[in-house]
Amino acid sequence: GAGVSQSPRYKVAKRGQDVALRCDPISGHVSLFWYQQALGQGPEFLTYFQNEAQLDKSGLPSDRFFAERPEGSVSTLKIQRTQQEDSAVYLCASSPTGGGRTDTQYFGPGTRLTVL
Amino acid sequence: GDSVTQMEGPVTLSEEAFLTINCTYTATGYPSLFWYVQYPGEGLQLLLKATKADDKGSNKGFEATYRKETTSFHLEKGSVQVSDSAVYFCAHGGSQGNLIFGKGTKLSVKP
């Protein structure tokens, strides 16, 4: 079956531009997560949705970052006025259940964002 | 705060050598523990997991045991292959269901 897909796979932006990154989770998955992975580092949590509700956005690094999942399926991570420090791979993951106990998360291939 | 510490890489081994990648964690309560693997050019995929103390996760010849007393989840494989070359990430479940990852350990296996 189809896994998690993300688009675009690569994005180059000039400093100050806005970008939008898309995530299509596995159909029927309740939970959706966004992570940021800097070069040579492990992924770091950004935000979490259970269906359309954004339950945790504590990892978003600034108010320039915004995420939504309006119909409980596709999600978009938007970064306004991009800065060079935003350059990273942005990973999306989904899992079939919600709730506190962690289930297996299925990751997409990521979007590599480069800000010039 | 919650964190995961895993051994620094890169690790270079010859084919059929024994592999250990150390992982320790700091967390509130008893989280689920995971090893994810990232093969060259591919996305993160689950390798194995354990959900409670003394559980052993296993897959593709890899094993890891959830040790509550030492807060560890070391990854082992008895005989590595060239195809095991990848970056390995240890992770634990956070309070909101998110994953908290270590920095990753790059493994290179030479024929």
Side-chain angles (χ1 to χ4, degrees):
Chain A
V4 178
S5 62
Q6 294 185 245
S7 61
R9 291 292 310 279
Y10 304 91
K11 177 69 179 177
V12 178
K14 292 184 179 179
R15 189 163 58 93
Q17 283 185 332
D18 297 349
V19 297
L21 312 180
R22 177 187 169 105
C23 172
D24 283 83
I26 294 172
S27 177
H29 276 198
V30 170
S31 296
L32 185 145
F33 302 82
W34 283 99
Y35 296 86
Q36 181 190 60
Q37 186 176 18
L39 189 64
Q41 303 295 312
E44 293 194 354
F45 169 73
L46 293 177
T47 187
Y48 161 54
F49 290 86
Q50 190 175 116
N51 296 308
E52 69 277 4
Q54 188 174 22
L55 298 187
D56 187 348
K57 54 182 181 180
S58 61
L60 295 177
S62 78
D63 58 7
R64 296 186 294 104
F65 286 71
F66 172 77
E68 60 184 6
R69 192 186 185 199
E71 297 179 357
S73 55
V74 171
S75 177
T76 303
L77 176 67
K78 298 179 180 178
I79 309 173
Q80 297 177 324
R81 304 182 303 282
T82 52
Q83 304 294 315
Q84 285 190 321
E85 61 263 29
D86 300 335
S87 296
V89 175
Y90 291 85
L91 298 171
C92 176
S94 69
S95 71
T97 62
R101 187 156 179 89
T102 304
D103 205 343
T104 299
Q105 293 184 22
Y106 299 85
F107 283 80
T111 294
R112 182 178 297 277
L113 173 65
T114 303
V115 181
L116 303 177
Chain B
D2 291 0
S3 65
V4 173
T5 303
Q6 60 182 105
M7 63 187 287
E8 297 277 334
V11 174
T12 303
L13 295 174
S14 297
E15 206 165 22
E16 299 184 3
F18 183 84
L19 169 72
T20 299
I21 301 177
N22 291 336
C23 171
T24 57
Y25 67 92
T26 303
T28 304
Y30 304 108
S32 297
L33 302 175
F34 304 81
W35 278 99
Y36 277 81
V37 59
Q38 190 168 35
Y39 297 104
E42 299 185 16
L44 277 169
Q45 54 187 275
L46 179 70
L47 179 60
L48 54 84
K49 70 177 184 180
T51 58
K52 61 183 188 295
D54 300 324
D55 267 3
K56 178 185 285 187
S58 61
N59 185 25
K60 300 181 180 180
F62 291 89
E63 292 183 341
T65 301
Y66 191 140
R67 300 288 187 200
K68 183 179 67 174
E69 62 277 10
T70 55
T71 62
S72 65
F73 194 54
H74 305 321
L75 183 68
E76 296 183 335
K77 186 174 185 181
S79 176
V80 293
Q81 305 300 311
V82 172
S83 56
D84 294 327
S85 297
V87 181
Y88 293 81
F89 293 93
C90 184
H92 78 69
S95 58
Q96 285 292 337
N98 57 301
L99 290 169
I100 297 169
F101 286 89
K103 292 187 175 181
T105 303
K106 184 176 182 179
L107 170 66
S108 295
V109 180
K110 307 297 184 185

